[in-house]
Amino acid sequence: MMHADTIFALSSGAPPAAIGIIRISGPAAGSALLALAGKLPSPRRTALRPLTNPQSGEALDTALLLWFPGPATATGEDLAELHCHGGRAVIRAVEAALSAMPGLRRARPGEFTRRAFENGRMDLAEAEALSDLLFAETEWQRRSALTRMQGALGARIEPWRDSLMALSAQVEAELDFSDEDDVSPTSRDAMTARLADLGTDMERQLAQPRIEKLQDGVRVVLGGPPNSGKSSLLNALVRRDAAIVSDTAGTTRDAIEVPVALDGIPFVFVDTAGLREEGAEAIEQIGIARAHDQLAAADLILWLGEEGAGPEHQGLIEIAARCDANDFVAKGEAAVTVSAQTGEGVDALVAALKHRASTLLPPQDHVAVNARQAHLIAVAMGHVRAAAERDDLLMLAEELRLARDALDALTGRAGTEDMLDALFGKFCIGK
């Protein structure tokens, strides 16, 4: 898809900076570079040139220039880069000169990446992964996004689509040319077996942890009665005074959320109001109700109350807290014994949390999908399994087509403008 207009934007960090990179993409990128520098550099070779305002003749800067003739570029069209000095006045002057050129305009958020997608330089799954990479805050998030941005999901999906295309071709051939001697009837048993294998492979992908868990962090809720040491333990885990610690029962009245990365693994630690049946006034009762809600939504629970009295939850870890106190009560061998004051057992607890979290997050070397992608894979899987049940060839062909459509929507071969606008609108101006 070729655009008539040419866009430009600052693609590096906000000035002032040592270097400011201004990107230009579109049919007039070469003429814009020529107007500023007087000569195009050799393709894909840097050249140091003075930049001049083509209207006033005023010197703007001396910059390194790069020229990338399309279509083998990041955006799939002619592309130029100006590596200027990164002062505010320099960037403003160069952008003003570009704005005055016919056919050039400032880029909208995500427009460079959108052009790359529209021109076939990346598929939709890769564009979504690029968005995740830009917002990655932990090492695990970075590695996962980079794997997907390099086309891992597309490589996972393409064999499914190839299988559906081959099966569709067999069905269509039988429908259209069943009376021809050189077209043998489709083996229904063989086709059913292929569809069953395809459906199982899709189901296996759907069983993997979602990207959203990696983005949001593993939710660890600390629960127990008042004065059981929840707030102190949270502060010890995140290594700062995030929660108020007091001997007064009912000090924590609302959930306190603290996001933190431990060795590249994203967590959200949640301190909650102390749970008790009696003695809580109205505001504290609201906090207790919210604490129960937090425990229900937890991925992992650190239970500091009486052993066995915590909620039924497969991610519950019994904590024998305040082991330095005179009134310390030990728990069974499965419990983690800690002291927030001395630090005893905190490292062991962190290690246990990281181990548990690793089973809840998508593996860094595996293909993970987000909610949109998982929905479309589920739709495709539904049609694949429906196709295996169809006796009528026309209905079978339709189920196969619908399965292909779902996969095409996943990679961006088919999609809606609203969804694309929402995705690319999250990008920064120069991306």
Side-chain angles (χ1 to χ4, degrees):
M1 177 180 179
M2 298 306 295
H3 293 266
D5 54 350
T6 297
I7 58 175
F8 69 90
L10 179 68
S11 291
S12 54
I19 300 292
I21 302 174
I22 298 175
R23 215 176 191 189
I24 311 168
S25 181
S31 60
L33 196 56
L34 188 63
L36 288 171
K39 181 181 178 182
L40 286 178
S42 300
R44 295 171 174 78
R45 300 275 183 149
T46 57
L48 185 65
R49 298 273 195 277
L51 301 182
T52 304
N53 189 314
Q55 291 187 334
S56 65
E58 174 191 6
L60 299 174
D61 192 21
T62 299
L64 280 174
L65 310 183
L66 281 163
W67 166 237
F68 304 95
T73 66
T75 60
E77 53 192 16
D78 288 350
L79 185 71
E81 287 185 0
L82 313 175
H83 294 234
C84 309
H85 291 93
R88 291 188 178 93
V90 172
I91 300 301
R92 279 198 302 266
V94 175
E95 289 183 332
L98 291 170
S99 294
M101 295 181 187
L104 269 71
R105 63 170 176 82
R106 293 180 183 272
R108 294 184 289 270
E111 195 165 5
F112 287 94
T113 305
R114 181 159 188 162
R115 290 192 176 197
F117 164 70
E118 291 173 343
N119 293 325
R121 301 301 295 172
M122 63 172 57
D123 65 26
L124 185 55
E126 291 167 350
E128 288 175 303
L130 175 57
S131 175
D132 292 343
L133 183 65
L134 294 175
F135 288 99
E137 295 182 353
T138 71
E139 184 65 11
W140 199 305
Q141 291 168 343
R142 181 192 69 82
R143 290 180 179 178
S144 174
L146 190 60
T147 296
R148 290 177 284 117
M149 198 184 78
Q150 293 171 339
L153 182 55
R156 183 89 170 95
I157 299 300
E158 201 58 31
W160 297 348
R161 192 174 186 279
D162 290 344
S163 293
L164 290 170
M165 288 291 291
L167 291 169
S168 296
Q170 292 178 25
V171 174
E172 295 294 342
E174 188 170 347
L175 280 169
D176 294 340
F177 307 107
S178 57
D179 55 342
E180 301 286 340
D181 292 337
D182 58 348
V183 176
S184 58
T186 302
S187 170
R188 185 53 52 88
D189 289 342
M191 178 173 288
T192 300
R194 289 184 65 183
L195 289 169
D197 289 343
L198 187 55
T200 299
D201 201 21
M202 291 178 175
E203 185 176 33
R204 191 177 296 117
Q205 179 64 56
L206 290 174
Q208 297 292 322
R210 299 277 190 275
I211 291 170
E212 285 81 6
K213 181 56 63 182
L214 181 58
Q215 294 169 337
D216 298 339
V218 176
R219 199 167 187 83
V220 182
V221 178
L222 289 82
N227 290 340
S228 57
K230 299 185 298 299
S231 299
S232 296
L233 180 57
L234 182 142
N235 291 341
L237 288 168
V238 302
R239 293 179 171 83
R240 63 185 178 90
D241 292 334
I244 297 173
V245 177
S246 171
D247 292 333
T248 304
T251 298
T252 303
R253 302 206 170 190
D254 202 353
I256 298 172
E257 298 189 3
V258 185
V260 66
L262 301 177
D263 290 340
I265 301 176
F267 288 92
V268 178
F269 288 99
V270 185
D271 190 16
T272 60
L275 303 177
R276 56 176 169 171
E277 299 296 330
E278 299 177 352
E281 42 81 22
I283 299 299
E284 188 182 349
Q285 288 176 6
I286 295 174
I288 292 172
R290 292 181 177 179
H292 285 294
D293 292 340
Q294 291 289 345
L295 291 168
D299 296 310
L300 300 173
I301 293 175
L302 302 184
W303 181 250
L304 283 73
E306 182 181 346
E307 187 169 13
E312 290 188 10
H313 192 290
Q314 62 181 4
L316 186 141
I317 302 174
E318 291 279 1
I319 303 295
R322 302 170 62 190
C323 65
D324 58 310
N326 293 329
D327 59 350
F328 169 68
V329 178
K331 290 187 178 182
E333 292 183 359
V336 180
T337 300
V338 299
S339 167
Q341 298 301 320
T342 67
E344 180 181 346
V346 173
D347 288 344
L349 176 56
V350 169
L353 289 171
K354 290 190 295 185
H355 174 72
R356 293 282 194 104
S358 66
T359 66
L360 300 173
L361 297 176
Q364 299 177 51
D365 56 348
H366 283 56
V367 179
V369 297
N370 59 31
R372 183 194 74 87
Q373 294 161 352
H375 168 71
L376 290 170
I377 292 174
V379 170
M381 182 180 70
H383 289 300
V384 164
R385 289 184 166 164
E389 303 294 327
R390 299 295 187 187
D391 294 322
D392 184 272
L393 287 178
L394 284 172
M395 296 300 294
L396 173 55
E398 179 64 7
E399 295 288 1
L400 294 175
R401 183 190 68 79
L402 291 171
R404 293 199 316 273
D405 286 349
L407 296 183
D408 287 346
L410 192 156
T411 57
R413 283 189 173 99
T416 65
E417 282 298 306
D418 289 344
M419 185 274 294
L420 297 176
D421 289 343
L423 168 64
F424 293 113
K426 294 191 301 182
F427 285 71
C428 56
I429 296 293
K431 192 62 181 174

